[in-house]
Amino acid sequence: MAPRLLQTTYVGAGFLAALERFAEAERGQLPLWMPVALGMGITAWFVLPGLAAWAAVLLAGLAVALAGLVLPWGTRTARAITIGGLLAMFGCGLIWWRAERVAAPVLARPVVAAFEARVERVEPLPARELVRLTLRPDVAARLPPVVRVNIAEDDLPPGVVPGSRLSLRARLMPPPTAALPGAYDFARTAWFQGIGATGRGFAPIRVVAPGDPGNAALRSTLTGHIVARVDGSEGGIAAAFVTGDRGSIAEADAEAMRRSGLAHLLSISGLHVTAVVVGTMTLVLKLLALFPPIALRCRLPVVAAGAGAMAALAYTWLSGADVPTVRSCIAALLVLAALSLGREAITLRLIATGALLVLLVLPESLAGPSFQLSFAAVTAIVALHEHPRVRRWFLQRDEAVWRRFARSLGSLLLTGLLVEAALMPIGLYHFHKAGLYGALANIVAIPRTTFVTMPLEALALLLDLGGLGAPAWWAVEQSLALLLWIARTVAAAPGSVAALPAMPDGAFALMVAGGLWIALWRTAIRRWGLVPLVIGALWALATPAPDLLVTGDGRHLALATPAGGMAILRDRAGDYVRSTLGEGGGVEGELPPLSDQPGVKCSADLCIATRQAGDRRWTIVATRSGYSVPWAELVAACRHAHIAVSDRRLPAACTPRWLKLDRTTLARTGGVAISLADARVTTVRGGGQHPWEVPQTIAPPRPPYRERRNGRKGGVSDALR
């Protein structure tokens, strides 16, 4: 026993010594994993279903930290393990606390309500002829503390600004959960924003008391001024660059920007904040250099950095201080601080610090695509250009102009390709589609936006103070017209978009882990990150598209066609439903009607479809209208079907051979995706205990039956009149 124990001790000591040598070799990279450890705890809370699992994460993080304390504390390995365990435990506890802290009642059921409310936010959506209001209803209305409603432009009276009090009637409903597995979950987003209901407001709307617009009036006025100077979607993009308001961009052009990989230009983030900071610093430096007494007595770069910081803060305030803009502002302030201290400005440590600060303040942002896309892009760029070999390749040399231009172009192309590769898994996971030519489009679009369009727009706004901005606005319009032409051309190119059905969480986690491993280490061990990266990619690509998709309300259904597409149950389904079903099935383009497909028989009220999957022939029956089907016919159809789908509660005698998805079942499961070949069912709701899944609800009182029926005092008929 003694020799064996001694041998085990030697092996353990050798392993710890190897870990310590590795930690010493990577000592400069270890701090970069702090936001990763914090994010692991946050992610575990989002992914795991309930209290017992969250408590297990806290205990596991504590156990890891204690394991680090057992090791000799003077070693880097011990400190790294202890700090990592504590950060993971803290991350889980932080997001748990945050979710409970923002808790607010959610509307229990759809309702038409008449109420008074104070306006919190006004968001014009000219392209849709709507205005979106965030309201805080009076307590007497017995509604959630914050609701969000869309109102037709013509129905909204003038003078509505933040702080105004309105009297209105609106059709409200609880924030919707994901319609399908893997789709966007607005209920989660609304929970952290405190929104307890959404809906549509109706005329007449009356302003009870005026409000103090604050910066919202300046933002709205500036948006209106820009849109008045530049027509169409070009004006909407110009406004988005300055105020972050994208409501004037036509949906077709917004989709083209997304498909071409240029949509990030429409969200005020690092590119826009950097342009403002650099422009401000350059202007301040040039102006102060004209005064020798100031230039000789002051450190002009520090003064310029202070002016750039003030410009970044003002720009963030003016644009509405959305999360991406706040993140970019924090990063810009860190860069300016580093420059002022004489340190290297843009490093992975700076990015890690920015990510850590954002997660400490807004831990829920980790689950959103905005955080993931922005930090993935900038991490990939900095990690690439910090690599010694890449630095040598693109180091500035005393060489011919054409060689210098070719080297710069190669650097830009390589950076674009790497960023596109880094963002593609995130885009496919969240949106089920990703642009394939985005790197090429961004090579042209980003420099033009940074060095041409935004300076021209700033010049136009400055000249407008003297009424001389028309020529500059014409130049802005031409520059943005070229940007839209690039977006439309790339979006229309064959194979411009890769579509994929809902990606498994495990596949996405492996790709993220592999990417971080490659980006954050510096020794040869970084190459091992290719293993999880490739496994995750193959897993995602090998995941078959579902054969049947059913939305959570049971009204809409999409069935795989023999040609490889998806056919939709209701011919008159809206664009949003069609888009959601197409994305869930990994299908690009229009969804044909199910009634036109082979093997499908449909009446106005019922469809019966047969599909061969594997060695089994499946029969699906689904209701497709609000009218009742004769009881005997419905029961007979259910008896011969494997799956029955309906947006109503089916009778107990309706007993399909395998699965019954009616209103009762779908209320429990949410949207459903079914793979017929292996009889695999994936649901939106899995019995989780997250606050938005089991919220505290509030239900306004129902009006008397006669008033509801006649549409008086809050009835639906009167609201729609």
Side-chain angles (χ1 to χ4, degrees):
M1 290 294 294
R4 185 176 299 174
L5 180 61
L6 189 60
Q7 183 180 8
T8 304
T9 303
Y10 284 150
V11 171
F15 177 71
L16 290 177
L19 276 181
E20 186 60 21
R21 288 193 298 272
F22 169 73
E24 184 64 27
E26 295 279 7
R27 60 185 180 276
Q29 306 303 111
L30 292 177
L32 305 181
W33 290 90
M34 293 176 65
V36 177
L38 184 69
M40 288 175 62
I42 297 171
T43 301
W45 186 86
F46 275 113
V47 172
L48 297 176
L51 301 176
W54 304 336
V57 172
L58 295 176
L59 294 176
L62 181 60
V64 171
L66 292 176
L69 291 176
V70 172
L71 301 176
W73 184 247
T75 62
R76 294 185 186 275
T77 304
R79 293 198 296 270
I81 292 175
T82 301
I83 294 172
L86 290 175
L87 282 172
M89 181 178 66
F90 179 71
C92 183
L94 177 65
I95 185 62
W96 193 348
W97 169 82
R98 169 76 173 164
E100 296 297 335
R101 182 175 179 271
V102 300
V106 173
L107 193 66
R109 63 177 184 271
V111 66
V112 174
F115 58 96
E116 289 190 4
R118 181 168 60 87
V119 178
E120 293 279 316
R121 187 171 184 179
V122 181
E123 300 173 78
L125 305 174
R128 297 167 55 188
E129 298 182 344
L130 295 173
V131 177
R132 178 174 293 161
L133 301 181
T134 302
L135 305 173
R136 192 169 289 275
D138 290 347
V139 176
R142 292 186 59 183
L143 291 172
V146 179
V147 302
R148 197 176 78 179
V149 298
N150 291 337
I151 298 173
E153 287 180 332
D154 295 338
D155 292 343
L156 190 69
V160 175
V161 296
S164 301
R165 289 187 59 81
L166 301 181
S167 174
L168 73 159
R169 183 174 291 144
R171 175 75 164 86
L172 300 175
M173 61 180 295
T177 59
L180 297 169
Y184 175 58
D185 188 356
F186 179 70
R188 182 181 68 190
T189 303
W191 178 265
F192 287 102
Q193 294 178 354
I195 297 173
T198 62
R200 181 70 179 258
F202 307 106
I205 299 172
R206 184 168 56 90
V207 178
V208 177
D212 179 15
N215 77 313
L218 175 60
R219 185 185 182 201
S220 177
T221 301
L222 195 53
T223 298
H225 176 81
I226 295 171
V227 171
R229 295 297 186 276
V230 183
D231 295 330
S233 293
E234 290 85 352
I237 297 175
F241 287 168
V242 177
T243 65
D245 191 335
R246 291 171 282 178
S248 299
I249 305 173
E251 181 56 35
D253 291 325
E255 179 64 19
M257 296 288 286
R258 287 190 289 267
R259 293 171 64 93
S260 61
L262 301 178
H264 65 93
L265 298 177
L266 304 179
S267 174
I268 293 181
S269 54
L271 173 67
H272 308 78
V273 175
T274 300
V276 169
V277 170
V278 171
T280 303
M281 289 183 64
T282 302
L283 182 63
V284 170
L285 276 173
K286 298 297 183 183
L287 289 176
L288 292 181
L290 298 176
F291 301 93
I294 298 177
L296 293 174
R297 290 173 174 79
C298 299
R299 290 182 59 193
L300 296 189
V302 176
V303 176
M310 294 177 62
L313 292 170
Y315 189 37
T316 302
W317 173 78
L318 176 63
S319 62
D322 292 329
V323 173
T325 315
V326 171
R327 281 201 309 268
S328 303
C329 182
I330 292 173
L333 294 178
L334 290 173
V335 169
L336 293 172
L339 288 173
S340 301
L341 295 174
R343 304 290 297 273
E344 187 176 358
I346 303 177
T347 63
L348 285 176
R349 285 203 175 196
L350 171 73
I351 298 169
T353 303
L356 193 63
L357 291 174
V358 171
L359 291 179
L360 289 173
V361 177
L362 297 170
E364 68 273 13
S365 64
L366 178 66
S370 177
F371 178 94
Q372 297 171 16
L373 290 169
S374 58
F375 277 102
V378 71
T379 300
I381 293 171
V382 176
L384 173 68
H385 290 275
E386 280 190 355
H387 194 283
R389 186 175 300 173
V390 175
R391 280 191 171 186
R392 288 196 301 270
W393 284 348
F394 300 117
L395 189 66
Q396 292 291 333
R397 296 170 172 83
D398 186 11
E399 56 188 356
V401 175
W402 70 269
R403 285 182 176 273
R404 193 178 308 137
F405 175 77
R407 197 178 300 278
S408 300
L409 184 62
S411 173
L412 192 60
L413 179 60
L414 180 61
T415 302
L417 291 174
L418 180 66
V419 169
E420 199 68 32
L423 300 186
M424 185 173 290
I426 302 173
L428 289 172
Y429 179 75
H430 288 283
F431 311 117
H432 313 299
K433 62 176 69 174
L436 298 181
Y437 308 142
L440 299 176
N442 278 287
I443 285 176
V444 179
I446 289 178
R448 278 193 63 86
T449 301
T450 307
F451 301 114
V452 178
T453 307
M454 293 190 68
L456 278 174
E457 193 166 356
L459 177 63
L461 289 170
L462 183 63
L463 292 176
D464 270 353
L465 296 176
L468 304 174
W473 283 120
W474 178 86
V476 169
E477 185 171 3
Q478 300 309 307
S479 178
L480 291 174
L482 178 59
L483 175 66
L484 277 175
W485 178 84
I486 294 171
R488 293 164 184 159
T489 303
V490 172
S496 62
V497 174
L500 201 70
M503 183 187 301
D505 293 340
F508 181 61
L510 284 173
M511 285 190 280
V512 171
L516 288 172
W517 192 270
I518 294 171
L520 301 188
W521 294 132
R522 282 292 170 265
T523 58
I525 198 173
R526 69 189 304 180
R527 299 170 186 168
W528 285 98
L530 289 172
V531 175
L533 186 62
V534 171
I535 292 174
L538 293 176
W539 184 1
L541 293 173
T543 301
D547 298 295
L548 179 64
L549 295 170
V550 181
T551 58
D553 58 6
R555 285 179 50 81
H556 302 285
L557 171 154
L559 183 64
T561 64
M566 301 289 287
I568 193 166
L569 175 66
R570 298 183 185 238
D571 303 347
R572 300 181 64 183
D575 292 339
Y576 176 76
V577 171
R578 291 177 178 274
S579 173
T580 301
L581 290 170
E583 291 173 359
V587 174
E588 272 289 303
E590 188 66 23
L591 302 185
L594 184 62
S595 56
D596 294 345
Q597 300 304 305
V600 179
K601 296 180 180 179
C602 288
S603 67
D605 305 314
L606 198 70
C607 271
I608 300 176
T610 56
R611 282 289 178 270
Q612 184 72 34
D615 57 352
R616 192 173 181 181
R617 189 169 183 82
W618 296 81
T619 301
I620 302 106
V621 59
T623 61
R624 64 195 302 246
S625 78
Y627 295 98
S628 61
V629 179
W631 187 89
E633 294 181 15
L634 181 60
V635 169
C638 288
R639 188 179 301 117
H640 293 92
H642 296 87
I643 304 172
V645 180
S646 180
D647 60 343
R648 67 193 73 170
R649 186 174 63 84
L650 294 174
C654 174
T655 54
R657 301 178 187 179
W658 184 55
L659 188 60
K660 181 178 178 179
L661 297 174
D662 63 351
R663 178 190 295 176
T664 304
T665 304
L666 291 170
R668 185 176 66 255
T669 64
V672 175
I674 301 173
S675 176
L676 298 177
D678 54 2
R680 178 167 48 88
V681 179
T682 306
T683 63
V684 169
R685 297 193 183 99
Q689 298 176 332
H690 294 94
W692 58 89
E693 296 177 300
V694 286
Q696 175 190 352
T697 59
I698 184 170
R702 292 180 181 270
Y705 174 74
R706 178 174 297 178
E707 293 176 356
R708 297 203 309 270
R709 183 179 179 184
N710 294 336
R712 298 191 184 96
K713 298 183 180 179
V716 179
S717 301
D718 190 41
L720 297 176
R721 189 172 298 166

